[in-house]
Every structure is written in structure tokens, then in C-alpha cells.
Amino acid sequence: MVEIKRNNRRPAEAAQTAPKATSNVPQSLSVGEVAERAGVAVSALHFYEREGLIQSWRNGGNQRRYPRGILRRAALIKTAQRLGLPLSQIAEALRHLPSDRPPTAADWRRLSASWRADLDSRIATMTALRDQLDGCIGCGCLSLDACPLRNPDDRLGRSGAGPQLLR
């Protein structure tokens, strides 16, 4: 029989990591509650968990439970995705955050500063592409030899014959 591991913790560990209730505010949320409040699909939360971006534990009824702080972590993930960052880069950034508390404003400042150079580079590339596109719309040539969009400075010619991807 093959055992399917749903999260990275054994049941005994999971019970130890469940937050303690200190007020009338629920200290844990179901997967449906997190999905609704974070504006993501349940399947996205399951995916994030498989990829190690978030963690849950199982309650006595074997239902996934999340700490309340997961909402801020989910918001950080969604914002980073909207910036166009790949999940591997987001996961690497989250590995540098403590897992026992939600990300703070200081955490966000540190993460966003580390992503700034990449974003600036992508913005510059897209701006240049947009400006070149305006010229191409006017001429309509899309020449394989001279078009600044398709083959800037004939870089493809130096790479040899055949189809090639130019970034």
C-alpha cells in the first residue's frame, strides 16, 4: 500500500504546531475560509502547499487547518505573482521568512527591494519593445533581415541558420 503524504508534518508534530486560542477570534482557518478571504482557489492553496510556499496541519477530523497569518502570506504570494515573478523565485524568498509568524511590512520591504532590479530590467525591456512596436506598426514590414523587433542588429544571423528564439 502506498502512503500519500499530504503535508510535510506527521500528526504528532501537527498537533504541536496548531496555534493556541487566546481570544474569541478563531486561531485557525479551514482551506475554504482561506480561499475565500485570500481570493484564491482551494486548488491554488493545495498547490502552494505542495510547493512549500505555505503550511497547514490536520485537525482531529483530518481537515486542513491554517494559521490566521496565512492570509498575509497568501497576499504576498499573489502580489509577487502579479509582478510576474515565477513561483520558484517566490518560494526562495519565502524560505528566508520565519514560518511561525505572518510576513511583516519590514519583510515586504526587504523582499520587494530584492526584486526591484529584475523588475526594472523587465520594465526597460518592455518599454523598448513598445517603442519599437510603434515604428513597426507604421511600416508593417516585419522584415526578417532588418526588423528591430524580429531581428535587432541581425543577431539571429550570427547564431546560424534555422529558427531561433530571441529574447
Side-chain angles (χ1 to χ4, degrees), residues 18-54:
K20 306 291 185 247
T22 57
S23 70
N24 290 337
V25 176
Q27 295 302 301
S28 67
L29 301 169
S30 71
V31 68
E33 290 169 324
V34 174
E36 182 179 344
R37 292 186 60 186
V40 298
V42 168
S43 60
L45 293 171
H46 292 171
F47 177 75
Y48 294 163
E49 192 168 348
R50 279 193 310 272
E51 295 299 311
L53 301 173
I54 61 174

Side-chain angles (χ1 to χ4, degrees), residues 82-147:
R82 288 191 63 212
L83 294 172
L85 299 175
L87 279 180
S88 60
Q89 192 172 354
I90 298 167
E92 177 60 28
L94 291 175
R95 275 194 271 288
H96 298 286
L97 296 180
S99 60
D100 62 342
R101 65 164 172 79
T104 64
D107 293 330
W108 177 251
R109 280 192 299 275
R110 193 173 64 255
L111 290 177
S112 61
S114 73
W115 296 329
R116 184 171 290 277
D118 177 52
L119 291 172
D120 288 343
S121 174
R122 287 192 284 144
I123 289 168
T125 300
M126 294 299 289
T127 300
L129 182 60
R130 181 203 59 210
D131 293 347
Q132 291 172 348
L133 184 62
D134 288 344
C136 278
I137 290 172
C139 78
C141 75
L142 294 179
S143 164
L144 293 180
D145 294 327
C147 180

Side-chain angles (χ1 to χ4, degrees), residues 2-75:
V2 176
E3 180 182 329
I4 298 174
K5 192 174 180 181
R6 299 244 183 226
N7 61 21
N8 295 332
R9 299 179 183 182
R10 293 186 303 273
E13 292 173 317
Q16 294 171 357
T17 60
K20 306 291 185 247
T22 57
S23 70
N24 290 337
V25 176
Q27 295 302 301
S28 67
L29 301 169
S30 71
V31 68
E33 290 169 324
V34 174
E36 182 179 344
R37 292 186 60 186
V40 298
V42 168
S43 60
L45 293 171
H46 292 171
F47 177 75
Y48 294 163
E49 192 168 348
R50 279 193 310 272
E51 295 299 311
L53 301 173
I54 61 174
Q55 294 178 348
S56 69
W57 70 91
R58 299 288 180 147
N59 67 10
N62 201 28
Q63 298 169 327
R64 270 190 178 95
R65 302 302 291 179
Y66 294 92
R68 295 183 60 75
I70 201 71
L71 296 171
R72 189 169 285 185
R73 199 172 185 96

